[in-house]
């Protein structure tokens, strides 16, 4: 069933039990859309690819390197030690080169069991190090596109959503974290598995969950359980949805079991565990940062100095852990347009164009969908009432925003 969040399901006493709508076959996936939208979409994808290549090629060829924050401060020395050990066929428990000896294998941030480390066996060190960032950045686009398609968006709408996700301030901030980027890249497939359900969904979601856990950022993976359960429960109901989420998590834990065991062995003397909540909460989200959803860098650039640098120390306390929450001015404009798309539907079945026209194709509907079904034209909806009064229903056209709470 396709229901707007404000749309109440049909009651048991309602004379209307379901709505069946037949649609003429589409000539192509661009049918019903002005061609300027298709051209705009193609140019956007090409521009995004060129941006990615302009960053990735110099990194892959060893001409440039990422260095900001934890790339050099933490991950570089640990990765260098791990690659030397890997070349000798070893996976050491202790790294004696740091702090008079620090756990290596048990520290999930070292990605000791993550398969991506095999790149270091076939490529020069600097190329492999930087390709870890560039390839996971690209992977985030494709995994989120897969999630968006499963949620019902058209090819254009799904690609725009994926561009927004991969190009958001949050994702770009992750390019300074070797491990957090892995979770961000794989987690959309975890969510997609929850939407698909069944053995196929459990396999896809569990595999992606396992790779995300091997990526070494358990806090971010734990936070990702909230959207996973929101999607599974919304899609499959409370009992089935929770069981599906548990099954995906169980498969993921099974894949990540070697890292889990190694981490449990060192957790007892880990500073982040012994230190308790205060160290973990040092970078908690300040409510004032929600302003970043509307405008980029309202508190100055957290990576800069001088007049354009970060100036809100007294408000936020310190430069933020995630440098930016902004998801882009284009996506913001599309979100505003989609938010205006509220449709009042009279008795019977009525087709009305939404207020906000956005350059993204909605999903092709299926027969038997009820209450709110997107039509082939951009931003159109069909609504139904039970003949007893006026009902508000409608769904904004896909706007390219992160779809963690979307319904199929």
């Amino acid at each position: 069933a396709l229901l707007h969040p404000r749309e109440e399901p049909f009651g048991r006493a309602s004379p209307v039990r379901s709505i069946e709508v037949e649609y003429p076959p589409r000539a192509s996936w661009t049918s019903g859309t002005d061609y300027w939208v298709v051209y705009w979409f193609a140019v956007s994808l090409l521009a995004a690819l060129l941006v990615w290549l302009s960053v990735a090629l110099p990194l892959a060829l060893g001409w440039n390197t990422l260095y900001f924050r934890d790339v050099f401060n933490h991950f570089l020395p640990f990765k260098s030690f791990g690659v030397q050990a890997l070349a000798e066929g070893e996976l050491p428990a202790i790294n004696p080169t740091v702090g008079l000896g620090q756990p290596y294998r048990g520290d999930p941030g070292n990605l000791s069991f993550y398969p991506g480390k095999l790149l270091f066996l076939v490529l020069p060190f600097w190329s492999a190090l930087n390709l870890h960032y560039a390839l996971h950045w690209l992977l985030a686009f494709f995994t989120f596109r897969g999630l968006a398609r499963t949620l019902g968006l058209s090819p254009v709408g799904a690609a725009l959503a994926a561009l927004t996700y991969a190009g958001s301030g949050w994702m770009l901030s992750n390019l300074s974290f070797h491990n957090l980027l892995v979770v961000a890249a794989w987690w959309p497939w975890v969510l997609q598995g929850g939407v698909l359900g069944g053995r196929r969904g459990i396999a896809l979601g569990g595999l992606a969950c396992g790779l995300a856990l091997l990526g070494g950022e358990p806090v971010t993976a734990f936070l990702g359980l909230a959207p996973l359960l929101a999607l599974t429960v919304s899609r499959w109901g409370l009992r089935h949805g929770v069981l599906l989420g548990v099954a995906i998590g169980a498969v993921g834990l099974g894949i990540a079991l070697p890292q889990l065991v190694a981490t449990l062995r060192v957790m007892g003397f880990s500073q982040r565990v012994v230190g308790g909540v205060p160290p973990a909460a040092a970078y908690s989200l300040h409510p004032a940062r929600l302003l970043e959803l509307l405008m980029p860098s309202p508190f100055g650039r957290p990576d800069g100095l001088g007049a354009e640098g970060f100036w809100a120390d007294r408000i936020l306390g310190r430069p933020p852990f995630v440098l930016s929450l902004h998801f882009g001015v284009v996506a913001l404009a599309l979100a505003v347009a989609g938010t205006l798309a509220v449709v009042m539907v009279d008795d019977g079945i009525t087709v009305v164009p939404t207020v906000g026209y956005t350059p993204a194709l909605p999903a092709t509907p299926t027969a038997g969908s009820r209450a709110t079904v997107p039509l082939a034209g951009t931003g159109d909806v069909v609504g139904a009432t039970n003949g007893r009064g006026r009902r508000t229903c409608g769904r904004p056209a896909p706007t390219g925003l992160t779809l963690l709470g979307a319904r199929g």
Side-chain angles (χ1 to χ4, degrees):
L2 295 174
L3 293 175
H4 188 273
R6 291 184 297 178
E7 185 80 5
E8 296 181 0
F10 292 118
R12 293 185 177 181
S14 174
V16 178
R17 307 308 306 161
S18 64
I19 294 177
E20 189 171 321
V21 183
E22 294 184 358
Y23 299 88
R26 276 185 162 187
S28 70
W29 58 267
T30 61
S31 297
T33 305
D34 290 340
Y35 277 100
W36 74 266
V37 176
V38 180
Y39 296 146
W40 179 84
F41 165 72
V43 171
S44 298
L45 277 186
L46 179 60
L49 177 61
L50 292 177
V51 168
W52 182 82
L53 288 174
S54 69
V55 175
L57 281 180
L59 295 176
L61 296 174
W63 298 345
N64 295 336
T65 182
L66 299 175
Y67 66 89
F68 188 59
R69 292 209 300 191
D70 283 14
V71 176
F72 269 27
N73 293 340
H74 177 77
F75 297 118
L76 176 62
F78 275 86
K79 186 60 66 176
S80 177
F81 169 79
V83 169
Q84 294 179 20
L86 180 65
E88 299 173 2
E90 299 178 355
L91 188 58
I94 300 295
N95 179 0
T97 66
V98 178
L100 300 179
Q102 294 289 323
Y104 178 78
R105 188 170 57 214
D107 183 351
N110 293 325
L111 286 68
S112 299
F113 298 92
Y114 187 66
K117 68 185 301 181
L118 297 178
L119 279 176
F120 290 90
L121 296 179
V122 296
L123 294 175
F125 176 83
W126 290 105
S127 296
L129 176 70
N130 286 289
L131 275 177
H132 172 89
Y133 295 95
L135 293 179
H136 282 89
W137 184 20
L138 182 64
L139 176 66
F141 170 85
F142 289 104
T143 57
F144 199 88
R145 182 186 179 278
L147 169 62
R149 289 288 288 147
T150 303
L151 285 171
L153 272 69
S154 71
V156 175
L160 290 175
L163 278 178
T164 300
Y165 181 70
S168 65
W170 180 73
M171 181 61 68
L172 296 180
S173 298
N174 290 337
L175 290 176
S176 63
F177 299 106
H178 201 73
N179 52 351
L180 204 154
L181 180 64
V182 175
V183 181
W186 287 111
W187 206 258
W189 269 1
V190 179
L191 303 182
Q192 184 180 356
V195 175
L196 288 172
R199 295 181 179 179
R200 180 186 174 193
I202 293 174
L204 175 64
L207 175 62
C209 181
L211 291 170
L213 293 175
L214 290 176
E217 223 305 302
V219 174
T220 303
F222 177 78
L223 294 175
L225 294 178
L228 173 62
L229 291 176
L231 280 175
T232 55
V233 171
S234 173
R235 186 85 168 187
W236 304 104
L238 180 60
R239 182 176 178 273
H240 191 180
V242 171
L243 291 176
L244 179 59
V246 170
I248 290 174
V251 173
L253 288 174
I255 294 174
L257 190 60
Q259 182 64 72
L260 179 63
V261 172
T263 300
L264 289 175
R265 295 182 65 182
V266 303
M267 279 184 62
F269 49 91
S270 167
Q271 185 272 335
R272 297 198 175 187
V273 174
V274 176
V277 174
Y283 284 99
S284 59
L285 178 67
H286 193 286
R289 294 201 63 205
L290 296 178
L291 183 61
E292 295 178 29
L293 297 177
L294 301 178
M295 56 186 301
S297 304
F299 307 107
R301 291 185 52 176
D303 62 333
L305 301 174
E308 297 182 357
F310 183 76
W311 55 266
D313 300 79
R314 294 185 179 181
I315 300 176
L316 304 181
R318 64 177 71 192
F321 181 79
V322 177
L323 296 182
S324 175
L325 302 178
H326 192 62
F327 49 82
V329 292
V330 174
L332 178 61
L334 296 178
V336 172
T339 303
L340 298 177
V342 177
V343 180
M344 300 299 294
V345 181
D346 290 318
D347 293 351
I349 297 179
T350 310
V351 178
V352 199
T354 59
V355 175
Y357 181 91
T358 63
L361 292 173
T364 303
T366 56
S369 298
R370 68 175 185 179
T372 305
V373 185
L375 290 180
T378 300
D380 291 348
V381 296
V382 57
T385 61
N386 58 10
R388 297 182 179 178
R390 195 173 181 85
R391 175 179 290 183
T392 301
C393 69
R395 190 178 102 179
T399 61
L401 294 179
T402 306
L403 300 173
L404 299 182
R407 295 187 180 189

